[in-house]
Structures are given as structure tokens and as C-alpha cells.
Amino acid sequence: LLVVGLLLVPVAAAATLVVIAPHPDDAEASCGGLIANSVAAGDEVVIVTMTGGELGIGGKTAGEARAIRAGEAERAAAALGAKLEFFGAVDGSLAVDAQASTRLEAMLIRLRPSVVVAPWPLDVHADHQAAGLLAWRAFQNPRLPFALYFYETTNAPHTKSFQFVPTDYVDVTDVLQRKQE
């Protein structure tokens, strides 16, 4: 079982799931099984990667790391059967401000999700915190009637969060190989 605070709530056929990921790899590592399950159920899944992961590869420039990680994210989304969109923030600098809130809300209005999953806002990484808080702000917009769930990221060292207690579990046994791809 993948332990995440997500959903086992039945949603309408052909639902749209949006997974908000602070960096390339967070969605796949933390929610890859949920993504694969949702695609297998006929749902549309869109991964919104908030930053380019520019700080994620030692010895590479920000541009080199962003290009490598974008390619990895594109291949991972394709392997899972999901669509991928980049929010455009810079790794280490995702802000919870009016501009970012407005931009994410506009993306979500366009995508019309039934369900959004985002990182638990009390994660140890500032970008993870910001991604979760931006999702929370969007959730409060009455023009965005989606269900919101939080997940705990599973990429070391960002596996420590404060008071995250999963409420729902998703069995990923049938899609584990696809998640690992």
C-alpha cells in the first residue's frame, strides 16, 4: 500500500485529477501509483510541476538541471499516462503570493479538476510548503469546486513533515510496476 492522505472517494467517470508537484519527480515518487490507478480508471490526470528543479543536480547549471529534469518529468508522465504542465517557478523560490495564487487558480480554472492533490503544507521543504498553501488558497476560490487532498512527499530528505496523518490509503499493487517505471 502507498501511504498517502488521498482519496478512496468515488468520483464521476472521466474525472480530472490534478497532481500539484513542487519539483519534477515529486508527483511520480509520491503519487505515481495514484496517477496510474486514475489513468487506468479512465480519468484524465494532469501533473502541474511548480518549479524546474534547477537546484536538484549538483555540478550542473540551473539551465542544465532544468532541461534534464524537464525531460525526466516528460518521460515519467508519459509512462504513467498523464499530461504534464509546468508552472514556471524557480526551484527554491516558489512563493505564496497574490501573483502565484492568481496564476495557479487560472490554470485550475482551465483544467477543471474534480480532485486536486498537493503536498502537505507542513513539509520541511519551503517549495513543498508553498505548493500546498497555493493549492489551499485555490481551494477557497468558489469558482474552483474541486476536492482537495494532501500527500506526504516521499523523496529523502523531504519525508519529514509535521503532524501528517493519512486519512485514506490507495492500493497501488496492480500498478506498482508502472509507478516504478
Side-chain angles (χ1 to χ4, degrees):
L1 287 177
L2 175 65
V3 179
V4 291
L6 293 175
L7 60 122
L8 286 177
V9 178
V11 292
T16 299
L17 168 67
V18 170
V19 178
I20 296 178
H23 308 101
D25 76 7
D26 286 322
E28 301 85 352
S30 302
C31 300
L34 173 67
I35 293 167
N37 275 345
S38 297
V39 169
D43 298 334
E44 179 179 31
V45 178
V46 181
I47 299 168
V48 175
T49 301
M50 302 299 283
T51 75
E54 294 85 354
L55 303 177
I57 303 176
K60 300 289 184 186
T61 68
E64 290 169 335
R66 182 177 45 250
I68 291 167
R69 295 192 74 193
E72 291 172 347
E74 289 166 357
R75 288 187 300 279
L80 290 168
K83 296 178 182 177
L84 177 66
E85 295 200 17
F86 292 98
F87 184 78
V90 175
D91 193 355
S93 301
L94 184 59
V96 181
D97 59 18
Q99 181 180 7
S101 292
T102 299
R103 190 163 168 211
L104 180 59
E105 288 175 11
M107 287 181 83
L108 293 174
I109 287 168
R110 178 177 49 80
L111 294 171
R112 300 178 50 160
S114 311
V115 176
V116 172
V117 295
W120 179 242
L122 300 181
D123 189 286
V124 297
H125 192 296
D127 286 340
H128 296 200
Q129 294 166 14
L133 290 172
L134 288 167
W136 175 248
R137 283 186 170 192
F139 177 68
Q140 296 176 66
N141 183 333
R143 296 187 309 160
L144 289 165
F146 58 80
L148 176 63
Y149 296 88
F150 292 106
Y151 64 89
E152 186 172 45
T153 57
T154 58
N155 292 339
H158 310 298
T159 56
K160 181 179 180 183
S161 58
F162 183 71
Q163 295 185 346
F164 180 82
V165 179
T167 56
D168 300 282
Y169 297 84
V170 177
D171 184 351
V172 300
T173 305
D174 292 342
V175 295
L176 187 57
Q177 184 174 359
R178 175 160 284 155
K179 176 184 164 105
Q180 291 171 336
E181 287 174 23

